[in-house]
Amino acid sequence: QSMEEMAGIGEEMGVQFAVENIPGQLWFGCDSVQLAEMIRRVDSPFVRMCFDVGHAHVESDRYGSCAEQLARCLDVVSYFHVHDNDGMRDSHDAPGDGTVDWNELSRVMKDANGDAIVMLEMFRGVEEMGEVLGSTVVREILHDLAGG
């Protein structure tokens, strides 16, 4: 019901809400495919999905690889949070510093909505982020994810 209410508010205000998959034992949101199904039922351009790659990776033992999850959600995704981890802890590491299969994921993302936004989501200081953004590996991964 609350997603339907968000759709109405979004339409009224001209705002799109992006509901994010999140890791953990919550009643909804940790299963990205189930979340996508809920968004499909609302059937509104004002309620879409923010697919968080790192969160999906933490849940991959239960729900399949990030790419498998994304392939089943892609039609409702309008926003991506991109970060890496070891599949156990939501550490928000730089792409390539964890165990996400970026090649597999980028193949699926090539089918994404061309208007989808890709955001590097890391919580680091300015100096460390400068190093991350200067990394050839990170640049190649982001380039591939953006369809380059």
Side-chain angles (χ1 to χ4, degrees):
Q1 177 183 347
S2 55
M3 281 195 204
E4 290 171 0
E5 292 171 2
M6 286 189 327
I9 293 168
E11 184 173 8
E12 183 179 302
M13 297 178 68
V15 172
Q16 182 186 82
F17 292 97
V19 184
E20 182 174 348
N21 57 310
I22 49 178
Q25 301 295 324
L26 302 173
W27 71 273
F28 90 98
C30 58
D31 180 345
S32 56
V33 175
Q34 180 185 50
L35 178 59
E37 289 169 2
M38 293 172 72
I39 292 168
R40 282 184 200 104
R41 282 195 295 272
V42 173
D43 192 28
S44 168
F46 298 100
V47 178
R48 309 310 290 162
M49 182 175 188
C50 170
F51 187 88
D52 189 299
V53 173
H55 294 174
H57 190 48
V58 168
E59 295 295 339
S60 61
D61 283 347
R62 295 196 303 168
Y63 303 115
S65 74
C66 293
E68 291 168 342
Q69 292 177 64
L70 178 58
R72 297 176 63 197
C73 301
L74 204 53
D75 63 305
V76 296
V77 174
S78 66
Y79 202 92
F80 293 94
H81 281 173
V82 173
H83 54 98
D84 212 332
N85 60 53
D86 62 4
M88 312 265 288
R89 191 174 61 88
D90 184 29
S91 53
H92 288 254
D93 296 328
D97 284 352
T99 57
V100 169
D101 185 337
W102 294 102
N103 290 326
E104 181 186 29
L105 191 67
S106 65
R107 282 192 294 273
V108 174
M109 283 183 71
K110 287 189 189 316
D111 294 330
N113 170 1
D115 295 332
I117 296 168
V118 176
M119 184 188 98
L120 180 61
E121 186 183 43
M122 296 175 55
F123 307 114
R124 305 291 190 273
V126 172
E127 196 171 296
E128 187 177 352
M129 283 305 296
E131 292 172 17
V132 167
L133 293 172
S135 161
T136 303
V137 171
V138 171
R139 286 177 172 267
E140 287 175 359
I141 289 171
L142 293 175
H143 183 263
D144 288 349
L145 293 179

